[in-house]
Amino acid sequence: AQSVAQPEDQVNVAEGNPLTVKCTYSVSGNPYLFWYVQYPNRGLQFLLKYITGDNLVKGSYGFEAEFNKSQTSFHLKKPSALVSDSALYFCASMDSNYQLIWGAGTKLIIKP
Amino acid sequence: EAGVAQSPRYKIIEKRQSVAFWCNPISGHATLYWYQQILGQGPKLLIQFQNNGVVDDSQLPKDRFSAERLKGVDSTLKIQPAKLEDSAVYLCASSPSYTSIGANVLTFGAGSRLTVL
């Protein structure tokens, strides 16, 4: 069965430092991977996706994600964190039935 | 472009009462989803519609939950009778077409927070 793992419940980063939110996946066939962000009391918002092509995917708000097939990872990154990036981040994978398999989420806290 | 509209934003009910949530997706989006999100967890798919047909309702507790999308546009999710464990945020999302991988980016509404006492 397909699965998505986000190994860290919470990530703490100082403002201005680079951030990484980790995601690993287990899929059969080609992986289709997504990152969504959820700000407090808001619905989820799409950040970026990997379908095919370049391993480095650029998305909204300065975020990017690196697809690594050998490590089955799709880590979310940003070169310089902002306090406003503090939110809940979800990684998801699409299965062969076009259904999204969601990770449990990682709470990102950016400290001033 | 207007987003996904949901109402009510907040609802507090006693257990065994009923509640209904409404969702209006983005115009032209064929696929509509209802998710349940319990605090601290990822979203759990309850039901997925393609136009007015059900694609997946395997995780919908059908003894108490029901959903419809009669005209292939807006949708209603109902819980009757509610249990304490139904306390959660109910998220509605839509996408242009779930079978097109590149186009299957979900747009979510703000959610409806349900508290069952």
Side-chain angles (χ1 to χ4, degrees), chain A residues 57-94:
Chain A
V57 179
K58 294 190 182 297
S60 306
Y61 310 122
F63 283 93
E64 57 189 25
E66 186 173 8
F67 171 69
N68 188 316
K69 188 173 183 178
S70 62
Q71 296 185 7
T72 63
S73 67
F74 189 55
H75 300 333
L76 182 70
K77 300 182 179 184
K78 187 173 182 180
S80 178
L82 300 172
V83 173
S84 57
D85 293 329
S86 298
L88 196 54
Y89 290 81
F90 291 96
C91 182
S93 170
M94 186 170 292

Side-chain angles (χ1 to χ4, degrees), chain B residues 51-93:
Chain B
N51 297 310
N52 60 350
V54 175
V55 173
D56 184 355
D57 64 355
S58 57
Q59 298 192 90
L60 186 74
K62 297 180 184 65
D63 57 334
R64 299 184 300 105
F65 286 65
S66 64
E68 60 184 14
R69 192 186 185 198
L70 294 176
K71 296 182 179 178
V73 181
D74 58 349
S75 175
T76 302
L77 175 71
K78 296 180 181 178
I79 307 174
Q80 182 179 13
K83 293 185 175 181
L84 296 177
E85 59 260 36
D86 298 332
S87 293
V89 176
Y90 292 85
L91 295 167
C92 180

Side-chain angles (χ1 to χ4, degrees), chain A residues 14-92:
Chain A
E15 186 177 27
N17 283 1
L19 70 86
T20 298
V21 182
K22 296 179 180 178
C23 173
T24 59
Y25 63 90
S26 174
V27 305
S28 56
N30 295 323
Y32 303 113
L33 302 163
F34 302 78
W35 276 102
Y36 285 79
V37 60
Q38 187 173 32
Y39 298 102
N41 299 314
R42 302 279 296 277
L44 283 78
Q45 295 178 36
F46 169 75
L47 274 180
L48 50 79
K49 64 182 177 182
Y50 173 82
I51 305 299
T52 186
D54 290 342
N55 290 339
L56 187 64
V57 179
K58 294 190 182 297
S60 306
Y61 310 122
F63 283 93
E64 57 189 25
E66 186 173 8
F67 171 69
N68 188 316
K69 188 173 183 178
S70 62
Q71 296 185 7
T72 63
S73 67
F74 189 55
H75 300 333
L76 182 70
K77 300 182 179 184
K78 187 173 182 180
S80 178
L82 300 172
V83 173
S84 57
D85 293 329
S86 298
L88 196 54
Y89 290 81
F90 291 96
C91 182

